Amino acid sequence: RACNKLRPLEGVPVAVKDLLNVAGVPTWAGGPQCANCPVAARDAVAVERLRAAGAVIVGKTHLTQLACVGHGHNPHYETPLSPFGWTVDGEGGRLPGGSSSGSAVAVAGGLVPVAVGTDTGGSIRIPAAWCGVTGFKPTFGRVPTDGCHPLCAESLDSIGPLANSVEDCDLLFRVLAGLPVPGAEPKPKLS
């Protein structure tokens, strides 16, 4: 970058829940009901902010159908397995919690250092707890939901971070919310 000015997420790989639009990629919302939907023409506002901060969007993550189930199971597609989840069958399968199951599993499994999820009634908090990572639901409206598939209760929907640490969640949240990032402000040159 010019003047050696790095952006807050310069080069950081980020996974995004498949409820948010990523330009040129279909948004499936966890189920076959969106199988024939057109690919997204533009990024969701949250994704635009990630890219502007230097993040590299490496993929979209799995979720429960229409983001409406808290245990993480999806009857239409494979369910991502949590490395720290609860056993759900006699074969040792483990549920990751939901609905941001893929985002939590991607962070817990070391695929990405941070991921984006959505939360209406626990969809970031449950998989974060079941997968042993950090995540939180921001205050409604703090992160714009433009370009995000509407969930079960639009007036409660929030987009938020999942990461391995509180510090990384804070950084990702600040970018998503359009807040200043400490240390990213230009420093005056003293002569």
Side-chain angles (χ1 to χ4, degrees):
R1 301 229 4 118
C3 303
N4 295 325
K5 173 91 170 86
L6 295 180
R7 298 171 289 179
L9 294 175
E10 193 73 50
V12 174
V14 178
V16 177
K17 185 175 181 176
D18 191 26
L19 277 181
L20 281 76
N21 288 340
V22 173
V25 178
T27 300
W28 286 64
Q33 71 285 344
C34 295
N36 295 319
C37 295
V39 299
R42 63 179 294 233
D43 288 336
V45 171
V47 174
E48 289 174 353
R49 289 179 175 179
L50 290 168
R51 291 188 199 275
V56 177
I57 308 302
V58 296
K60 294 178 84 174
T61 61
H62 193 58
L63 63 146
T64 60
Q65 183 177 11
L66 295 174
C68 290
V69 181
H71 50 60
H73 174 69
N74 185 312
H76 302 287
Y77 307 111
E78 297 281 331
T79 298
L81 299 180
S82 169
F84 306 109
W86 296 353
T87 299
V88 296
D89 59 33
E91 299 175 19
R94 296 179 184 271
L95 286 177
S99 70
S100 299
S101 51
S103 294
V105 168
V107 172
L111 300 173
V112 291
V114 294
V116 177
T118 63
D119 195 316
T120 299
S123 292
I124 289 174
R125 296 162 287 163
I126 294 168
W130 288 17
C131 292
V133 299
T134 303
F136 70 92
K137 176 185 180 178
T139 301
F140 171 73
R142 193 65 191 115
V143 177
T145 56
D146 301 319
C148 181
H149 191 284
L151 303 178
C152 302
E154 289 182 49
S155 64
L156 299 174
D157 297 347
S158 293
I159 296 171
L162 291 107
N164 282 311
S165 70
V166 171
E167 294 80 13
D168 287 349
C169 267
D170 178 55
L171 173 62
L172 186 60
F173 167 68
R174 287 176 173 280
V175 168
L176 291 170
L179 296 172
V181 176
E185 300 85 21
K187 295 182 174 54
K189 229 178 178 182
L190 302 174
S191 21

